[in-house]
Amino acid sequence: MSNGVDKNRRHFLTVATSVVGGIGVAAMAVPFFASMRPSAKARLAGAPVEVDVSKLEDGERVTLSWRGRPVQVVRRGEEAIARLSEIRDRLRDPDSERSDQPEYATNEYRSLKPEFLVMVAVCTHLGCSPQFIPDPGDAAMGSDWPGGYFCACHGSRFDLAGRVYRNVPAPTNMDIPPHRYPDDNTLIVGEDAEVA
């Protein structure tokens, strides 16, 4: 002790104050940083979606929601697959060079497996939901209709790979989301095949 100052006591008080202050800062920082994480609802909205495709018959589809957007999975039969190459000259972008799809879906089928179309079913003109009309020669669409999608808002037409026809308002093919098949019966929408 010198000049009436207890240095040991001062040192103890300094250390104790620092420790209590550090604990207080940590107690405030944890909820602050926790509030910056996305909510469970937001994480769920962007999460990959798993689909059992084993029960889909040729020409059938299932619609699911991924990131708030309607995604349709369509099982194409052999005839529907063959028609995709027969209408190339009627399409604006048959090779999907100006469309939004993963690189592994930049092919005539716009998918990993030719028998399955996995597509965001939103018209690329003004965002309407196009109608699924899979039957060739549908009475309302005309005898040369090969099957596909028709947007009733402004008349855009798409084939069964989501490729847009020439001379319609929609500027590009419909979007293809990332997707992969962990096994023969399961499709996961929202995960890239390369990442898996």
Side-chain angles (χ1 to χ4, degrees), residues 21 30 63 91 124 154 156 167 181:
V30 168
T63 302
L91 303 172
T124 55
H154 300 96
S156 292
N167 304 318
Y181 297 89

Side-chain angles (χ1 to χ4, degrees), residues 160-184:
L160 278 177
R163 298 178 298 181
V164 67
Y165 280 75
R166 295 178 188 271
N167 304 318
V168 297
T172 60
N173 300 337
M174 287 194 273
D175 296 345
I176 303 295
H179 60 280
R180 68 181 183 92
Y181 297 89
D183 58 56
D184 289 342

Side-chain angles (χ1 to χ4, degrees), residues 71-145:
V71 173
Q72 293 192 355
V73 180
V74 178
R75 184 170 207 140
R76 298 178 285 213
E78 289 182 16
E79 292 178 6
I81 292 170
R83 283 193 298 275
L84 294 177
S85 59
E86 296 171 1
I87 59 171
R88 288 182 55 84
D89 59 335
R90 298 166 59 187
L91 303 172
R92 179 175 291 163
D93 183 16
D95 297 319
S96 300
E97 294 173 346
R98 295 179 300 277
S99 304
D100 187 13
Q101 71 270 320
E103 189 168 331
Y104 50 79
T106 306
N107 53 50
E108 186 173 57
Y109 317 108
R110 302 190 72 221
S111 62
L112 278 171
K113 294 183 175 184
E115 67 266 34
F116 291 110
L117 168 64
V118 182
M119 180 182 70
V120 177
V122 175
C123 180
T124 55
H125 179 221
L126 291 178
C128 295
S129 295
Q131 185 178 0
F132 178 58
I133 307 175
D135 297 327
D138 183 271
M141 301 303 295
S143 60
D144 65 340
W145 176 251

